[in-house]
Amino acid sequence: MSEFHSEISNLSPKSLWQFFDKICSIPHPSKHEEELAQFIVNWAKEQGLDVRRDPTGNVFIKKPATKGMEDRKGVVLQAHIDMVPQKNEDTEHDFTKDPIQPFIDGEWVTAKGTTLGADNGIGMASCLAVLAADDIAHGPIEVLLTVDEEAGMTGAFGLEAGWLEGDILLNTDSEQEGEVYMGCAGGIDGEMAFDITRESVPAGYVTRQLVLKGLKGGHSGCDIHTGRGNANKLVARFLAGHAQELDLRLIEFRGGSLRNAIPREAFVTIAVPAENQDKLAELFEDYTQLLSQELGKIETDIVSFNEVVETSERVFAVADQQRFVAALNACPNGVIRMSDEIEGVVETSLNVGVITTEENKVNVLCLVRSLIDSGRQQVESTLSSIGELAGAQVTFSGAYPGWKPDADSEIMVVFRDMYEGIYGHKPNIMVIHAGLECGLFKEPYPNMDMVSFGPTIKFPHSPDEKVKIDTVALYWDQMVALLRNIPTKS
């Protein structure tokens, strides 16, 4: 490996952190992973490892068993190559060109103004560190690095039978040390498209931009139950309450940037009668204070701006504005239902993720997650009904299955016993509300035994993302011990 570019390369375990440091230096947002993928391929070839790629772009690397371990079951170590590109509004960063800038902040590693990419860069780094190591006992190993997981699970969807030989898959995309996962939610993208007509800005109106920002955001699966505000929904609430009173005319609604991230910011351009400017300012300030009272235990940094803005755009027709705002305000968001089967786990949720405005259309992109198909279908039906009432076209795409827990999983028993042997207590065996690729892997490899584990990562999919340093060492110890304890072939 070539030079390292930050202080994290000196952390322990050194090999893992050096690989992660290198990963941070190569841009790899979803759909722009090729440079990093090619670096990994070239590195593997330099190590004399068997490396190949499938038509989707996934990377496969094989390493023979260490001496005396040839009779163990084959293990697939799996991570995804891409990262979520999120940045603070005042951060200058091009995720397709600029490196991530990680730094040590007390007990954590985080990044300057952007997502860190510990999701799933730490897992990817651990896979490469195992390949690089000459002091780890293991059976036959394959590494599978998938592409475009965050933006559509393209690599997992494209995985074909026959590429993998292993019996066991260790997914490294979990985010809480001390927990091991044996199931996850499935999901589907939903889009509501509102056709709009426009009119000239009425005489005597001025144009302004209302901005709500400073929210924590986060992962729309792992963080959906934490009570964080959704900027899109909060701004819709203000418009529903005061647009008619102030005679507001909507010009643009823009909020969120990824369907799987809770929106941290929303921007609305409106026209308002000049005589209502002061009343608008007063009501928007009062509303911001109300949100701080309601959400202040969690959302500690809510800020709003009411700014003069020049625009040549025309306003929405009144009827189109009313049905869009009403539909957005009525749309459910957050936890729909908690699981009856697994205590403390979300069963079904909805994230109103991204809103964009075009000349003649407003698009609302949502992500539905559920542990059960019927829960997902219920939310799909709700969105379809809202669309029908509001005259919007509702479409669904990109459905992916959940990963059904396997009560007879041999590798789960091995992980549990290994963990208890090291720490003196059992791990929490969990089902996660986030979407893991394991459910899709079960399609071409129905008999593969799987678990998912990882270090503690907080606030993934947001610029506050951080990974706890000591849990990376714990995770690495578990990986090494697990590989040493893989069962023999029957």
Side-chain angles (χ1 to χ4, degrees):
M1 230 177 354
S2 56
E3 77 288 344
F4 312 113
H5 83 293
S6 81
E7 61 184 349
I8 69 170
S9 63
N10 294 315
L11 294 171
S12 180
K14 200 162 189 177
S15 178
L16 187 157
W17 282 106
Q18 287 177 347
F19 274 111
F20 182 62
D21 186 60
K22 185 63 181 180
I23 288 166
C24 288
S25 74
I26 303 173
H28 57 286
S30 301
K31 304 188 185 300
H32 298 276
E33 310 102 316
E34 185 58 31
E35 183 181 356
L36 179 54
Q38 197 55 54
F39 164 79
I40 293 169
V41 168
N42 293 340
W43 173 85
K45 288 179 178 178
E46 290 172 2
Q47 307 307 305
L49 298 169
D50 178 9
V51 58
R52 55 192 177 141
R53 300 184 74 180
D54 68 9
T56 307
N58 299 319
V59 176
F60 303 80
I61 309 171
K62 292 178 69 173
K63 184 183 181 184
T66 55
K67 189 174 181 179
M69 300 280 285
E70 294 88 355
D71 63 342
R72 302 301 177 98
K73 290 186 175 182
V75 171
V76 179
L77 304 179
Q78 190 269 321
H80 61 81
I81 300 175
D82 60 320
M83 66 170 287
V84 168
Q86 287 274 283
K87 67 183 185 69
N88 289 321
E89 185 74 13
D90 57 357
T91 297
E92 293 291 331
H93 189 92
D94 184 340
F95 282 96
T96 66
K97 297 177 181 178
D98 300 331
I100 300 299
Q101 299 181 55
F103 67 95
I104 299 170
D105 183 15
E107 299 178 328
W108 303 83
V109 168
T110 189
K112 295 180 180 178
T114 70
T115 36
L116 173 63
D119 170 18
N120 186 208
I122 292 289
M124 179 166 39
S126 70
C127 296
L128 298 177
V130 169
L131 292 175
D134 57 11
D135 59 350
I136 296 176
H138 59 77
I141 283 179
E142 298 167 87
V143 167
L144 166 61
L145 304 177
T146 53
V147 296
D148 197 36
E149 188 268 354
E150 300 289 6
M153 295 198 178
T154 304
F157 272 112
L159 182 63
E160 298 175 350
W163 282 81
L164 297 173
E165 300 172 0
D167 307 289
I168 296 166
L169 185 139
L170 305 181
N171 173 276
T172 65
D173 198 16
S174 295
E175 293 159 356
Q176 182 62 53
E177 194 284 318
E179 297 180 352
V180 57
Y181 294 90
M182 59 183 297
C184 73
I188 194 168
D189 294 336
E191 184 170 8
M192 291 191 289
F194 297 82
D195 291 327
I196 57 171
T197 55
R198 290 188 181 263
E199 303 170 350
S200 298
V201 176
Y205 276 59
V206 296
T207 52
R208 305 192 72 88
Q209 185 177 68
L210 305 180
V211 180
L212 188 68
K213 60 192 307 184
L215 301 173
K216 283 188 167 59
H219 193 295
S220 71
C222 300
D223 298 320
I224 201 70
H225 64 289
T226 59
R228 297 180 185 184
N230 179 310
N232 290 334
K233 287 288 294 177
L234 295 178
V235 171
R237 175 180 164 188
F238 178 80
L239 293 176
H242 299 293
Q244 187 171 357
E245 172 188 0
L246 294 169
D247 233 358
L248 299 183
R249 301 296 299 276
L250 191 57
I251 296 173
E252 181 189 33
F253 195 123
R254 173 170 56 91
S257 58
L258 294 168
R259 93 246 189 273
N260 58 357
I262 301 170
R264 297 175 295 111
E265 302 167 336
F267 306 81
V268 175
T269 305
I270 52 96
V272 60
E275 63 270 20
N276 289 347
Q277 287 185 86
D278 292 343
K279 186 65 173 176
L280 169 64
E282 177 186 342
L283 289 173
F284 197 51
E285 176 60 29
D286 289 347
Y287 181 63
T288 306
Q289 292 179 12
L290 175 66
L291 294 181
S292 295
Q293 293 169 9
E294 290 182 352
L295 306 175
K297 294 286 186 181
I298 298 169
E299 298 290 3
T300 56
D301 300 310
I302 299 175
V303 293
S304 67
F305 301 93
N306 176 6
E307 303 169 326
V308 176
V309 63
E310 298 293 332
T311 179
S312 59
E313 295 288 333
R314 299 181 298 162
V315 299
F316 290 21
V318 172
D320 294 339
Q321 173 178 315
Q322 289 175 339
R323 62 189 179 87
F324 163 66
V325 171
L328 183 57
N329 191 45
C331 187
N333 179 78
V335 175
I336 305 299
R337 195 170 193 276
M338 299 297 291
S339 173
D340 292 335
E341 303 294 329
I342 310 163
E343 186 177 354
V345 173
V346 177
E347 179 186 273
T348 305
S349 73
L350 174 64
N351 181 53
V352 181
V354 185
I355 301 178
T356 55
T357 304
E358 303 171 17
E359 172 63 25
N360 297 311
K361 185 176 291 187
V362 183
N363 294 300
V364 179
L365 183 60
C366 304
L367 177 56
V368 184
R369 300 181 190 265
S370 186
L371 299 179
I372 58 175
D373 288 343
S374 60
R376 188 196 75 203
Q377 291 160 2
Q378 174 204 347
V379 179
E380 290 178 45
S381 176
T382 299
L383 290 177
S384 295
S385 295
I386 291 172
E388 183 176 350
L389 290 169
Q393 296 81 46
V394 179
T395 55
F396 297 96
S397 62
Y400 57 90
W403 168 25
K404 186 177 180 180
D406 179 5
D408 299 320
S409 170
E410 181 182 37
I411 190 60
M412 178 59 75
V413 173
V414 172
F415 187 100
R416 182 196 65 199
D417 293 347
M418 172 275 298
Y419 194 96
E420 186 174 18
I422 295 175
Y423 305 112
H425 61 90
K426 291 181 173 65
N428 294 321
I429 299 174
M430 303 285 290
V431 172
I432 193 171
H433 189 61
L436 297 174
E437 294 167 290
C438 298
L440 287 167
F441 297 153
K442 280 288 188 179
E443 295 291 324
Y445 300 95
N447 298 319
M448 191 172 284
D449 199 4
M450 305 179 185
V451 293
S452 178
F453 65 113
T456 297
I457 299 171
K458 295 294 187 184
F459 316 129
H461 298 193
S462 87
D464 296 323
E465 182 185 6
K466 58 184 181 178
V467 59
K468 198 164 188 289
I469 295 169
D470 63 346
T471 68
V472 175
L474 295 173
Y475 159 70
W476 176 250
D477 290 344
Q478 293 158 26
M479 175 71 80
V480 172
L482 194 57
L483 292 174
R484 187 169 58 244
N485 286 282
I486 294 296
T488 57
K489 299 174 184 175
S490 57

